[in-house]
Amino acid sequence: MDRCPPEIWLNIFNLACDDGGYTGCSLSLVSRCMYTLSKLVRYRSVALHGLRRMRSFATVMEGTPLELRRVRQLYISFRDPPLKTITGSDKPVDLEESQQRTTDAWKCAEAIYQILPSVLSAVAHSLESLTLVTCDDRPFALSPIPLPNILELTIYGIHEVSAWESDPVSLHPLPTLRRLHLEGRTRDAVVTLVDLAPNLTHIQLSSIEQGSSIRAVIKQFHSRDVADHGNLSLSTTRPSARRILLQPRTPRTFGCGLAYSHHFRRMRDLMDAASSDPFGIVTVLESKRDPGMGEELDQEAKDFWLDRIDGGQGCWKEPEISQHGAK
């Protein structure tokens, strides 16, 4: 190690610490020299599962100098990690364990909402990618902490924004945001978030139930273009949305004929919204099975997050054969 310049080690660590924090923690335990050299990139990517880990991380950040809190990618799930992740066992997660962890997350939701601002405020200055996986049906309010450098934001479990509208302090603009992915029954949330992010280029909506939200977003972008018409400074500096991706979810079980017909009415509404898009920016992706509220949901979100860190397309990957609203 003494023969290798610190800059080389730093470059190596910078590439290695993109796995959610495991490598960063391991490097700090190798030796005193490794501990010192890896300080600048140790928290490059961090994955937090459950209340206990969020509290521990917030405590660690409180004792860490600002210049060393260089968290660029952050993943937060309300659910504790499965036992196989902790113990390294190959045994698959059983249904009872998964349901118990979901129940525990519901019980801890209030405490998690309280600790979330502390976690985000500690790393807001460097944060570029944030994925939040919630598990309850209440309106999800973004933390009132500004995120001045956020580029990608993913929220699983968002439902409505009535709580935000009653609390204007929570409605911080997101001027740097480029990619927004919402999974869940978004209602008017998508329009509100798009309004906060004037520089969006990509939007993906998963599990959306009504085409009206799509039409509202298209109209909103069209209104921006009209408002900017003739303003050279805005038209040359602000990107317009290039893609709106819709990811329909098929029910886990169709059950009775009523559920079956409801799903296809919803799909027809989405397809009508996409086909009526005059700008050709809407793509309806192939339907995927609804992951529910358990292990599949958490795993899907984290797989997308890790793939983006690794330079992949994550949830933004479009198949060669897709249905475009412009066609």
Side-chain angles (χ1 to χ4, degrees):
M1 284 191 62
D2 296 338
R3 297 181 181 180
C4 185
E7 293 81 7
I8 301 298
W9 282 114
L10 190 59
N11 286 335
I12 294 173
F13 296 158
N14 198 46
L15 295 172
C17 294
D18 277 344
D19 57 357
Y22 178 80
T23 299
C25 292
S26 299
L27 286 173
S28 66
L29 300 175
V30 172
S31 66
R32 188 179 299 274
C33 182
M34 283 286 192
Y35 175 86
T36 302
L37 288 175
S38 63
K39 276 185 176 181
L40 289 175
V41 296
R42 185 178 306 153
Y43 302 113
R44 179 181 173 88
S45 67
V46 175
L48 302 175
H49 291 263
L51 177 61
R52 185 173 65 84
R53 286 162 181 77
M54 290 179 66
R55 283 176 171 168
S56 297
F57 180 75
T59 301
V60 170
M61 289 295 100
E62 287 178 2
T64 302
L66 182 64
E67 63 273 14
L68 299 182
R69 302 180 199 164
R70 299 185 179 183
V71 178
R72 293 180 58 186
Q73 298 98 7
L74 180 61
Y75 177 91
I76 296 177
S77 172
F78 281 30
R79 294 159 52 87
D80 289 324
L83 292 177
K84 70 171 186 176
T85 303
I86 302 172
T87 62
S89 171
D90 293 332
K91 180 181 178 181
V93 179
D94 59 42
L95 180 60
E96 184 178 353
E97 178 196 337
S98 177
Q99 290 176 338
Q100 182 59 49
R101 292 190 302 107
T102 299
T103 301
D104 292 343
W106 281 334
K107 294 178 180 178
C108 294
E110 286 293 343
I112 291 176
Y113 282 133
Q114 292 175 11
I115 195 65
L116 184 60
S118 298
V119 173
L120 293 182
S121 63
V123 301
H125 66 288
S126 61
L127 196 58
E128 297 178 4
S129 171
L130 172 63
T131 294
L132 292 168
V133 183
T134 68
C135 66
D136 62 340
D137 292 333
R138 293 168 304 171
F140 180 83
L142 281 177
S143 168
I145 305 300
L147 302 173
N149 297 305
I150 194 73
L151 298 175
E152 296 195 25
L153 174 63
T154 296
I155 304 177
Y156 272 63
I158 190 169
H159 296 277
E160 56 183 282
V161 293
S162 57
W164 304 348
E165 294 169 352
S166 63
D167 182 14
V169 176
S170 297
L171 296 174
H172 281 288
L174 301 167
T176 61
L177 188 64
R178 294 294 188 270
R179 294 174 183 258
L180 173 65
H181 178 199
L182 302 179
E183 198 284 344
R185 297 186 296 276
T186 56
R187 298 183 188 174
D188 58 337
V190 57
V191 177
T192 301
L193 283 172
V194 168
D195 194 46
L196 293 175
N199 294 309
L200 276 174
T201 62
H202 291 72
I203 302 172
Q204 180 167 168
L205 304 175
S206 303
S207 299
I208 190 168
E209 294 187 342
Q210 296 179 342
S212 57
S213 296
I214 307 303
R215 298 183 182 92
V217 172
I218 295 173
K219 181 179 179 181
Q220 189 174 22
F221 278 113
H222 179 56
S223 299
R224 285 181 179 176
D225 293 338
V226 171
D228 292 347
H229 183 68
N231 190 330
L232 184 61
S233 61
L234 281 177
S235 61
T236 57
T237 59
R238 191 177 78 180
S240 59
R242 293 195 298 269
R243 306 303 298 154
I244 297 178
L245 307 181
L246 307 182
Q247 179 68 80
R249 303 284 199 181
T250 58
R252 299 178 70 86
T253 57
F254 276 106
C256 65
L258 181 61
Y260 183 87
S261 61
H262 174 73
H263 169 70
F264 280 94
R265 283 198 304 270
R266 181 175 59 188
M267 284 297 300
R268 186 168 55 249
D269 188 26
L270 291 182
M271 295 302 297
D272 288 345
S275 62
S276 63
D277 164 31
F279 308 105
I281 60 176
V282 178
T283 297
V284 180
L285 303 177
E286 184 179 354
S287 297
K288 292 179 64 176
R289 179 174 178 266
D290 187 350
M293 301 290 289
E295 216 67 52
E296 294 180 39
L297 181 99
D298 215 352
Q299 192 61 53
E300 177 188 278
K302 193 167 186 180
D303 285 345
F304 283 149
W305 180 74
L306 289 173
D307 189 48
R308 288 294 290 166
I309 292 176
D310 197 38
Q313 297 182 57
C315 69
W316 307 104
K317 183 177 180 179
E318 297 186 46
E320 294 183 2
I321 302 177
S322 57
Q323 304 171 52
H324 290 270
K327 294 183 178 181

